[in-house]
């Protein structure tokens, strides 16, 4: 099955700086790559996703890039704010209705 | 607004008890999933279902079973709870690619 690796496991940044989280996947058939944010005491919530026919997608301060050849994708958060502090998970799926394979998560801390 | 609702936020059960975790979604999604979340291990898939009365094992099904009698409801069953099943349990449902999660059930087995 698919194997998703996520780095780093923890990330601390100063408010206003950028944060980058990277993931790699193993199955070249994967074609859907969502990112989830989990705040303390809550379930994960989708923040952005990308499909394999697109190289980059942006939504305000967050962006995701995908390199299908290298099998890696990244989450970029610019102008970080304390409320961005959370655990972030990347995931991959070989079909949009199929199961998701998750990375182990990144604890992002944004210091004011 | 899509809603995935888990029946309990916190549960404390004794070793050997039979435990039921319930999950209901209101978006008519075909696919439903149960994950457990442990520090440093991320989300691990226990069981999933693509249709009513249908179930598939995930990566860590041992010690668990599931039931899906109605499309909107997916239950996780711990036949005989053990202390190593103390964890956060997350239910999810998917429509056109996006997975929606419940708020989680933190289960403690003593």
């Amino acid at each position: 099955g698919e194997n998703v690796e996520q780095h780093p496991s923890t990330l601390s940044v100063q408010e206003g700086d950028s944060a980058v989280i990277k993931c790699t996947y193993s199955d070249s058939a994967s074609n859907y790559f969502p990112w989830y944010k989990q705040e303390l005491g809550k379930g994960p919530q989708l923040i952005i996703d990308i499909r394999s026919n697109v190289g980059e997608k942006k939504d305000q301060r967050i962006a995701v890039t995908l390199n299908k050849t290298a099998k890696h994708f990244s989450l970029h958060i610019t102008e970080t704010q304390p409320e961005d502090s959370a655990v972030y998970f990347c995931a991959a799926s070989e079909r949009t209705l199929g199961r998701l394979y998750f990375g182990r998560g990144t604890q992002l801390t944004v210091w004011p | 607004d899509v809603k995935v609702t888990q029946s309990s936020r916190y549960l404390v059960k004794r070793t050997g008890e039979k435990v039921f975790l319930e999950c209901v979604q209101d978006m008519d999604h075909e696919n439903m999933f149960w994950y457990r979340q442990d520090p440093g291990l991320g989300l691990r898939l226990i069981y999933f279902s693509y249709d009513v009365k249908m179930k598939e094992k995930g990566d860590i099904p041992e010690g668990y079973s599931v039931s899906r009698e109605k499309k909107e409801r997916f239950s996780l069953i711990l036949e005989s709870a053990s202390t190593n099943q103390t964890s956060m349990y997350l239910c999810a449902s998917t429509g056109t690619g996006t997975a929606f999660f419940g708020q989680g059930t933190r289960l403690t087995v003593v």
Side-chain angles (χ1 to χ4, degrees), chain A residues 12-112:
Chain A
S12 291
V13 299
Q14 202 74 35
E15 184 178 0
D17 287 351
S18 295
V20 180
I21 303 170
K22 298 184 179 184
C23 289
T24 60
Y25 62 99
S26 60
D27 189 349
S28 56
S30 289
N31 56 13
Y32 175 63
F33 307 92
W35 285 87
Y36 287 84
K37 176 183 181 182
Q38 186 178 27
E39 296 174 331
L40 204 59
K42 297 184 178 179
Q45 281 202 304
L46 179 76
I47 54 171
I48 196 167
D49 57 9
I50 192 167
R51 299 182 194 276
S52 59
N53 57 349
V54 175
E56 183 174 356
K57 185 176 177 180
K58 264 185 150 178
D59 183 3
Q60 299 182 335
R61 295 186 298 107
I62 60 174
V64 58
T65 58
L66 171 65
N67 183 326
K68 281 217 76 178
T69 305
K71 296 201 197 72
H72 66 72
F73 56 113
S74 301
L75 178 72
H76 303 253
I77 306 174
T78 58
E79 299 170 26
T80 53
Q81 300 165 3
E83 49 265 39
D84 294 329
S85 296
V87 178
Y88 291 81
F89 292 97
C90 62
S93 175
E94 48 83 18
R95 57 189 177 100
T96 54
L97 293 180
R99 64 168 285 183
L100 291 170
Y101 294 84
F102 285 89
R104 293 193 173 192
T106 296
Q107 173 69 63
L108 173 65
T109 304
V110 181
W111 300 100

